[in-house]
Amino acid sequence: IAVTGLGGIGKTALADSVIRRLVPELHFDDVVWLRSAAATMSGQSASPQATFDTLIIELAQRFWGQSGVENTPNQRLAQVRQRLKERPFLIIIDNLESETDTAFLLTQLNNLANPSKFLLTSRTRPAPQAIVFTCVIPELSFDDSVTLLNHHAQELGVMALATAVAADYQAIWNVTGGHPLALKLVAGLLDVLPLSTILGGLAQGGAGHIEEMYRHIYWQMWRTLSENGRRLLLTMPLVSETGGDPDYLGVISGLDETQLWPAIQELRSRSLLEVRGALHEKSYGIHRLTETFLHTEIINWPFEEQRS
């Protein structure tokens, strides 16, 4: 199954929700969640074959640990294929971005499936001839967008929407187009900026609108952050896909405990930091679109320009 849609549309959230509902009812030996690697700081992405080889290594390490993995790619592939054919596993491969990666993986995964199953989230829709069930995620409706916007604002403690009228919600929806991540970012900005400033200068619809919308919103976010908030955000691309704990964030950012926790809270209140984990431990990461903004817009700028 491939869940497809634009970045920030909610593919990962949907996959997570569905799996949590189905796992108690379906019979799998285990559920393995893998995230495809992001592009490097220079913007270079791995080849489709390299992406597939990395996923096979991660699966092998999950099944047998570091010491039990075969040495060559062909040996590892045969090793993993045998395990997936012997027992039913549910494998999620999250955050595929390129059309070539998705197409290549689908041809390879069909040789590994049954009884094991694969669920992919991808920004690109598979070709019609691909042997896959495709679920395309649309933008949220106006009513659902308003519900999400208010819910997230309440979670963040943002009170600005308490006086919003229908025209305000319509203006937000006209610009964000029902994109969940954009709505969350707008909710975070409403704590520090007036709505007219957030939406000002953004055209409604048109070619390239989505990319320009996110770029506009992220730049507004960046300009509202404290120096420590910016410093922490700049180091987040160094954190693994599964997130980093507070000790690690302190080491890579150079912030001491009295600086780190306010910075974490600041990024969370702007919807820039994803908080993961349970009661006794937490880890922190960022959305792939946030990482892309940092790579393409911020990281290579001189520090003095970053501060402006």
Side-chain angles (χ1 to χ4, degrees), residues 31-262:
V31 177
V32 181
W33 190 293
L34 306 175
R35 293 170 67 90
S36 67
T40 64
M41 293 287 189
S42 63
Q44 296 294 316
S45 298
S47 68
Q49 181 66 59
T51 298
F52 178 66
D53 290 343
T54 298
L55 293 171
I56 293 299
I57 290 173
E58 293 177 356
L59 275 175
Q61 291 175 346
R62 174 65 178 262
F63 293 148
W64 298 285
Q66 190 75 35
S67 60
V69 178
E70 295 287 354
N71 293 323
T72 70
N74 286 339
Q75 289 174 328
R76 287 193 294 268
L77 180 57
Q79 184 184 26
V80 168
R81 185 178 189 277
Q82 182 177 355
R83 174 58 63 91
L84 294 177
K85 291 293 186 180
E86 288 175 345
R87 303 177 186 176
F89 291 88
L90 176 57
I91 313 296
I92 300 93
I93 303 176
D94 191 23
N95 271 333
L96 293 168
E97 295 183 351
S98 76
E99 184 177 355
T100 52
D101 275 353
T102 303
F104 184 83
L105 278 174
L106 287 173
T107 62
Q108 301 298 319
L109 296 180
N110 278 313
N111 294 322
L112 303 177
N114 295 320
S116 295
K117 306 295 181 185
F118 289 90
L119 173 63
L120 284 63
T121 70
S122 173
R123 293 190 190 179
T124 59
R125 190 181 304 190
Q129 65 269 24
I131 306 175
V132 60
F133 176 80
T134 301
C135 175
V136 181
I137 308 302
E139 299 175 4
L140 295 179
S141 67
F142 174 77
D143 289 342
D144 287 340
S145 296
V146 171
T147 299
L148 175 62
L149 189 63
N150 282 314
H151 173 76
H152 194 64
Q154 290 174 4
E155 282 189 326
L156 298 177
V158 174
M159 305 304 297
L161 287 173
T163 57
V165 297
D168 297 323
Y169 290 116
Q170 188 68 51
I172 295 171
W173 190 73
N174 287 344
V175 168
T176 61
H179 285 254
L181 178 60
L183 291 165
K184 289 182 176 182
L185 293 171
V186 167
L189 275 173
L190 283 170
D191 201 31
V192 292
L193 294 176
L195 181 60
S196 59
T197 300
I198 297 172
L199 302 183
L202 274 178
Q204 298 178 10
H209 164 65
I210 302 303
E211 292 80 3
E212 180 58 29
M213 172 191 68
Y214 275 113
R215 184 176 183 273
H216 177 83
I217 292 174
Y218 274 122
W219 268 116
Q220 289 182 315
M221 283 285 186
W222 179 258
R223 294 180 178 117
T224 66
L225 293 177
S226 67
E227 184 169 334
N228 286 342
R230 292 183 180 186
R231 186 173 298 277
L232 177 58
L233 186 60
L234 280 172
T235 62
M236 291 307 297
L238 301 175
V239 176
S240 71
E241 293 285 353
T242 57
D245 62 25
D247 290 340
Y248 182 63
L249 297 189
V251 170
I252 64 175
S253 66
L255 300 176
D256 63 34
E257 190 169 343
T258 62
Q259 299 168 317
L260 178 65
W261 286 109

Side-chain angles (χ1 to χ4, degrees), residues 235-299:
T235 62
M236 291 307 297
L238 301 175
V239 176
S240 71
E241 293 285 353
T242 57
D245 62 25
D247 290 340
Y248 182 63
L249 297 189
V251 170
I252 64 175
S253 66
L255 300 176
D256 63 34
E257 190 169 343
T258 62
Q259 299 168 317
L260 178 65
W261 286 109
I264 288 175
Q265 182 55 38
E266 181 183 19
L267 295 187
R268 180 188 173 278
S269 70
R270 298 288 187 273
S271 304
L272 292 170
L273 203 65
E274 297 180 354
V275 183
R276 305 161 186 165
L279 177 64
H280 296 290
E281 59 181 35
K282 299 288 186 184
S283 63
Y284 303 89
I286 56 175
H287 193 279
R288 183 66 61 84
L289 285 184
T290 306
E291 185 174 353
T292 298
F293 169 75
L294 292 172
H295 283 167
T296 59
E297 300 285 340
I298 295 294
I299 285 177

